[in-house]
């Protein structure tokens, strides 16, 4: 048995190559990947901001999409009407399917709240995107320039939600991107996937390259909607109201990102995992028409994680019985993974998503498998993606 020793003499070239590869991978992960997941950029409102005077806050129209969910709608409307917002607010419920139960909820609350209105998406409407039609009807019915969009399943924890979403309008912004997480998601990989998808488009927006939002927590000016002729560019797609359209109207100058605790929204579906899968498939399909720079950076970062792992294992094996290179590789482990884990923990907490610290290294390295499954699934023909194939 060879005796373990420590020396820089007679190291094989492959060991030097592994040392260099591990160092390059570590530098990439800390210099490129970590800032991406830390959600740092030039976005305007990354935290709570109290410097907007009440008189500067604009009147708002809150558009709520409801689809046969009266109980959820009643809870949401209660939260909206309890908002601490000094400017005039009107609430427009888009009754998708003309549900009588939804109408009953609206009529009951309208007795007390005269700023509550309702519009309808006929149940007979086919060969079109019902969500886009509903949003269009709500925006056309709105009286105020600034509109905030959400859905009946949204849960608003703070009475300052509207303040946070509306404050960038007072500075001349035209698009405000908030974040919404799905309540009740189970499975560490599913929660990590939700956080990483959010980081992907939020980090792009904070770098001045917005291309997506979430239809559960988003705001923009009606004039932008009408100038863009609504969803006319994506009428053949069933989805795209919160990504294809946002990519069309948003830019680095007119867009603000809001990530304060008061601005966060949770969405409560009956089956969170199924709903999340449907959302991922929708955005995987529309994502093929959107910028891919941030996604490629994140994907290459995953490659660098595997480069680091392969270099570490190979370097340790080929350097034995010389233990000095192994000390280098072992010392690099906490230098790489502790900052990454801390960054993910901090970011996920800001997004309202709980992640387990000790699982994060494995989740970061294996998430590509789940992502590949979604890409393959959305690559199969599906009539649900196209309005002209629906019945």
């Amino acid at each position: 048995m060879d005796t373990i020793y420590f020396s820089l003499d007679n190291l094989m070239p492959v060991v030097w190559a592994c040392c260099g590869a591990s160092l390059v991978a570590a530098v990439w992960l800390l210099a490129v990947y970590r800032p991406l997941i830390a959600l740092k950029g030039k976005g305007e409102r990354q935290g709570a901001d109290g410097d907007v005077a009440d008189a500067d806050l604009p009147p708002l129209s809150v558009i709520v999409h409801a689809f046969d969910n009266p109980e959820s709608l009643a809870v949401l409307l209660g939260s909206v009407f309890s908002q601490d917002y000094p400017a005039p607010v009107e609430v427009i419920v888009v009754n998708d399917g003309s549900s009588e139960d939804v109408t009953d909820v609206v009529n009951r609350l309208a007795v007390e709240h005269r700023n509550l209105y309702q519009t309808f998406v006929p149940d007979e409407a086919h060969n079109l995107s019902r969500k886009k039609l509903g949003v269009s009807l709500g925006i056309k019915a709105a009286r105020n320039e600034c509109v905030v969009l959400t859905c009946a399943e949204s849960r608003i924890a703070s009475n300052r939600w509207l303040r946070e979403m509306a404050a960038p309008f007072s500075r001349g912004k035209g698009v405000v991107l908030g974040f919404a997480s799905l309540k009740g998601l189970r499975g560490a990989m599913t929660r990590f996937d939700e956080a990483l998808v959010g980081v992907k488009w939020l980090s792009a927006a904070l770098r001045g390259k917005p291309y997506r939002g979430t239809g559960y927590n988003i705001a923009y000016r009606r004039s932008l909607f009408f100038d863009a002729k609504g969803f006319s560019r994506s009428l053949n797609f069933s989805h795209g109201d919160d990504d294809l359209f946002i990519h069309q109207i948003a830019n680095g100058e007119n867009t603000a990102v809001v990530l304060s605790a008061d601005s966060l929204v949770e969405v409560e579906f009956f089956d969170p995992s199924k709903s999340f899968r449907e959302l991922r498939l929708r955005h995987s399909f529309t994502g093929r028409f959107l910028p891919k720079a941030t996604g490629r950076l994140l994907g290459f970062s995953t490659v660098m994680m595997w480069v680091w792992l392969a270099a570490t294992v190979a370097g340790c094996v080929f350097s034995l019985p010389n233990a000095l290179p192994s000390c280098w590789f072992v010392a690099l482990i906490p230098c790489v993974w502790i900052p990454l884990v801390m960054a993910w923990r901090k970011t996920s907490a800001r997004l309202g998503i709980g992640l387990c610290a000790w699982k994060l290294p494995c989740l970061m390295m294996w998430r590509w498998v789940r992502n590949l499954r979604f890409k393959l699934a959305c690559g199969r023909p599906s009539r649900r993606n196209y309005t002209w194939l629906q019945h």
Side-chain angles (χ1 to χ4, degrees), residues 311-334:
T312 298
V313 173
C316 290
V317 171
F318 284 106
S319 63
L320 292 176
N322 188 350
L324 186 60
S326 298
C327 294
W328 158 262
F329 293 117
V330 171
L332 205 57
I333 294 176

Side-chain angles (χ1 to χ4, degrees), residues 218-355:
I218 198 169
Y220 45 78
R221 296 182 182 271
R222 292 174 74 239
S223 56
L224 288 176
F225 181 84
F226 292 123
D227 290 345
K229 296 180 174 58
F231 302 115
S232 59
R233 292 190 183 181
S234 59
L235 287 179
N236 57 323
F237 297 136
S238 301
H239 314 292
D241 56 285
D242 59 357
D243 50 18
L244 297 177
F245 178 69
I246 294 302
H247 178 51
Q248 180 182 348
I249 67 171
N251 56 57
E253 299 300 323
N254 72 352
T255 302
V257 177
V258 182
L259 288 179
S260 64
D262 290 330
S263 71
L264 297 180
V265 167
E266 275 193 324
V267 186
E268 187 175 15
F269 289 117
F270 176 74
D271 189 340
S273 297
K274 180 180 178 181
S275 299
F276 178 72
R277 183 177 184 277
E278 289 296 321
L279 290 171
R280 283 286 278 115
L281 288 174
R282 294 176 190 175
H283 287 115
S284 293
F285 173 77
T286 53
R288 65 183 66 181
F289 308 104
L290 298 170
K292 299 176 175 59
T294 305
R296 287 169 179 166
L297 284 175
L298 291 171
F300 189 72
S301 297
T302 302
V303 172
M304 296 307 285
M305 293 179 195
W306 284 97
V307 168
W308 172 85
L309 179 62
T312 298
V313 173
C316 290
V317 171
F318 284 106
S319 63
L320 292 176
N322 188 350
L324 186 60
S326 298
C327 294
W328 158 262
F329 293 117
V330 171
L332 205 57
I333 294 176
C335 295
V336 173
W337 291 103
I338 290 179
L340 296 185
V341 169
M342 292 178 63
W344 265 118
R345 287 277 291 176
K346 183 178 180 180
T347 297
S348 63
R350 289 182 65 189
L351 300 180
I353 302 172
L355 295 177

Side-chain angles (χ1 to χ4, degrees), residues 4 20 65 71 114 151-153 165 312 374:
I4 299 295
H65 182 265
E71 294 84 4
R114 298 303 179 91
C151 73
E153 291 85 1
M165 293 299 293
T312 298
F374 279 116

Side-chain angles (χ1 to χ4, degrees), residues 158-194:
S158 172
N159 66 349
R160 294 180 58 85
W161 171 62
L162 285 181
R163 281 181 176 267
E164 292 297 307
M165 293 299 293
F169 288 130
S170 66
R171 300 186 178 91
K173 298 298 183 179
V175 181
V176 183
L177 305 180
F179 186 76
S181 60
L182 267 63
K183 185 177 181 179
L185 275 184
R186 296 183 178 181
M189 183 59 78
T190 300
R191 294 194 301 274
F192 179 72
D193 194 31
E194 181 187 30

